[in-house]
Amino acid sequence: MSTAAIQCLTAARADAERLGERLGVPVHTIAQHRFPDGEIAVTIGPATPTTILYVPLDQPNEKLLTILFAAEALRRGGCTRLVLLAPYLCYMRQDVAFHPGEAISQKAIGKLLASLVDRVITVDAHLHRIATLGEVFPGIEADDLSAMPTIAAALRASGLDPATVVVGPDAESRPWVEALATLIGTGSAVARKIRRGDRSVEIVFDDPSLIAGRPALLVDDIVSSGGTLITCAQALRAAGATSVDAMITHALFPAEMIGAFTAAGIRSIRSTTTVPHPTNAIALDDLFADALACEIRTPPERSA
Amino acid sequence: MSTAAIQCLTAARADAERLGERLGVPVHTIAQHRFPDGEIAVTIGPATPTTILYVPLDQPNEKLLTILFAAEALRRGGCTRLVLLAPYLCYMRQDVAFHPGEAISQKAIGKLLASLVDRVITVDAHLHRIATLGEVFPGIEADDLSAMPTIAAALRASGLDPATVVVGPDAESRPWVEALATLIGTGSAVARKIRRGDRSVEIVFDDPSLIAGRPALLVDDIVSSGGTLITCAQALRAAGATSVDAMITHALFPAEMIGAFTAAGIRSIRSTTTVPHPTNAIALDDLFADALACEIRTPPERSA
């Protein structure tokens, strides 16, 4: 019997398989059955003492309940070390009550997951008003991995034009944009984003001379409605960028939007494998395997 | 400032309003905003030391998260006594692992809600393999109210034919059917239900002579897909019932199904107000007000 295994949802099966091969552990798919009344029934694979729950939390609501149910079955089955690998972590942006009475979803989700698992691993968590992921998950281990070294390596390997300017759409992206530009040895520019509702934004470049005549590499951590990306691409073309490519960590937008990005002048859009998506181009297998290696205890070999 | 209030979702607003009037407390609607990425943002009304969360848990998954978020905001706002009035309580039927690896959803949901609120009140909880609702909710108060006296009073008031036979569709309904028949002074019959998947059932009456030539009152606690009700109505007509009316506690089926019930020979279908539904005919306001009266402390009047 295995002492460790990965359990994943169907959507993440291919990514989980690659990780399972790296770690040398079996991969089981968690079955979900939906009843007419809206309830779901969750069936896990064989429980192991150490279990890695591989659940990217895009479109998260039902997946959170699936984690709740899977944790119940896993613990009852003898799992004593439950690690949630949520390459994309939901509800991190509602980290403060912007208006009276608003729930701080980040805090509620953090407390819920901390009550279910022993460790959470994610990538490029959208943290702004708190300093570390540990504050979100009281009492358990929490690792916020960075996709940036993997992204930088992929960009360098692809033969990037040295005149490229790395562009961030808003002030929140500045540290990320500047660090990536340093890693790949290019310039950078950060726009000002003025949000007008969930789907409408305005983008302003205070110094268009940083962009004119250069290829632009638009980077962002999360692309959800796609409005920011499109508006930013248009602003980049207007500022004289010779081409616009996009590189994002978490692709949350519907696949049907890719056409709209092309129409807005975005030549290519690539994402990491944190969320299974047609734009996935940067596999984070090594990053995950390194973070999880300590969880996998190989039984000592018997001497001959 | 009020020391107590009801907070409800929009769907339960009308029911909550009537309850608020009985109890003499204000009613606030919990606002839900949906983002393109599938996340929701929850905004509560003004928090009060005692808060009654009025949330019927049909189509439950997102509502459970809404309770999680609302509880965060309420506790932070100073709520020290949080009572969940969930007239219909979800996930009670998955109370055992029917197959290896199945999550016991009832246990997971019970633990979750017990970590959020101080008391749960529901109606006719679907309990079979456990004895009391208290076992579902470790460490908090839990009340499983019975709708039956209210249903019996409504039936008596409506001038029920004394020849009526109260009919239950399966063995699980026997205690309920026999108690109701005793309360309204009629005969009863319980069918055997053979389930063939989520939506297909077979109904057998071992003694059709109990039914032939009588009006049948079909009763059940939960009607979800409606398959059982339709098959049972057809079996009742085949057994010679002169009419078939249905009375249920929790109406979970889509309103569009009412036509199919009529086509299957069901003359009328009435439900209690545990789930807001077009078939609602039996208001449980008194039942809820009685159960909640102890939560509402009226401040002592000042002597003149």
Side-chain angles (χ1 to χ4, degrees), chain A residues 171-259:
Chain A
E172 291 184 344
S173 67
R174 181 176 297 277
W176 207 60
V177 164
E178 290 178 351
L180 184 63
T182 303
L183 275 173
I184 60 175
T186 68
S188 66
V190 174
R192 281 192 298 120
K193 178 162 87 172
I194 304 148
R195 184 166 280 281
R196 312 198 186 282
D198 288 352
R199 291 171 193 271
S200 173
V201 290
E202 189 178 328
I203 297 279
V204 179
F205 287 101
D206 290 327
D207 186 358
S209 72
L210 293 171
I211 293 149
R214 292 167 175 272
L217 179 69
L218 185 46
V219 298
D220 208 351
D221 58 346
I222 301 176
V223 173
S224 172
S225 70
T228 298
L229 208 64
I230 286 172
T231 310
C232 198
Q234 288 162 342
L236 283 167
R237 305 300 296 203
T242 56
S243 64
V244 179
D245 295 282
M247 173 68 78
I248 59 183
T249 305
H250 308 295
L252 302 185
F253 56 93
E256 308 87 75
M257 283 217 61
I258 295 172

Side-chain angles (χ1 to χ4, degrees), chain A residues 33-40 42-44 59-62 65 68-69 72-73 76 88 90-91 93 97 100-105 107-109 112 198-199 224-225, chain B residues 33-40 42-44 59-62 65 68-69 72-73 76 88 90-91 93 100-105 107-109 112 198-199 224-225 252:
Chain A
H33 177 77
R34 179 178 299 282
F35 294 101
D37 61 4
E39 294 186 3
I40 53 173
V42 165
T43 305
I44 58 167
Q59 296 292 331
N61 295 348
E62 205 143 271
L65 285 176
L68 177 81
F69 294 140
E72 187 282 322
R76 188 161 35 81
Y88 173 69
C90 57
Y91 284 108
R93 284 170 285 182
E102 265 185 15
I104 302 179
S105 315
K107 193 180 282 194
I109 293 296
L112 171 67
D198 288 352
R199 291 171 193 271
S224 172
S225 70
Chain B
H33 177 77
R34 179 178 300 282
F35 294 101
D37 61 5
E39 295 187 1
I40 53 174
V42 165
T43 305
I44 58 167
Q59 296 292 332
N61 294 349
E62 206 143 272
L65 285 176
L68 177 81
F69 294 139
E72 187 282 322
R76 190 161 34 83
Y88 172 69
C90 57
Y91 284 108
R93 285 170 284 182
E102 265 186 14
I104 302 179
S105 315
K107 193 179 283 195
I109 293 295
L112 171 67
D198 288 350
R199 292 169 192 271
S224 171
S225 70
L252 301 186

Side-chain angles (χ1 to χ4, degrees), chain B residues 45-230:
Chain B
T48 44
T50 296
T51 303
I52 298 153
L53 255 183
Y54 191 129
V55 184
L57 284 167
D58 56 309
Q59 296 292 332
N61 294 349
E62 206 143 272
K63 292 174 187 159
L64 288 164
L65 285 176
T66 300
I67 291 172
L68 177 81
F69 294 139
E72 187 282 322
L74 286 164
R75 296 298 196 183
R76 190 161 34 83
C79 170
T80 51
R81 174 73 176 169
L82 184 51
V83 179
L84 174 63
L85 174 57
Y88 172 69
L89 193 57
C90 57
Y91 284 108
M92 288 302 106
R93 285 170 284 182
Q94 184 83 24
D95 57 354
V96 71
F98 298 98
H99 304 285
E102 265 186 14
I104 302 179
S105 315
Q106 185 195 70
K107 193 179 283 195
I109 293 295
K111 206 172 148 195
L112 171 67
L113 293 177
S115 75
L116 298 175
V117 307
D118 301 298
R119 182 186 178 197
V120 171
I121 302 174
T122 192
V123 177
D124 293 342
H126 199 90
L127 304 176
H128 288 294
R129 276 156 290 251
I130 64 162
T132 68
L133 197 64
E135 292 171 55
V136 178
F137 296 104
I140 66 165
E141 298 162 60
D143 297 88
D144 184 13
L145 309 178
S146 172
M148 205 188 301
T150 312
I151 291 174
L155 288 168
R156 284 194 305 264
S158 69
L160 192 77
D161 185 334
T164 296
V165 56
V166 177
V167 176
D170 53 29
E172 290 184 346
S173 67
R174 181 177 296 280
W176 206 60
V177 164
E178 290 179 350
L180 184 63
T182 303
L183 275 172
I184 60 175
T186 68
S188 66
V190 173
R192 280 193 298 119
K193 177 161 87 172
I194 304 148
R195 184 165 278 282
R196 310 198 187 283
D198 288 350
R199 292 169 192 271
S200 173
V201 290
E202 190 178 327
I203 297 280
V204 179
F205 287 101
D206 290 327
D207 185 359
S209 71
L210 294 171
I211 291 148
R214 291 168 175 274
L217 179 69
L218 185 46
V219 298
D220 208 351
D221 58 347
I222 301 176
V223 173
S224 171
S225 70
T228 298
L229 208 65
I230 286 172

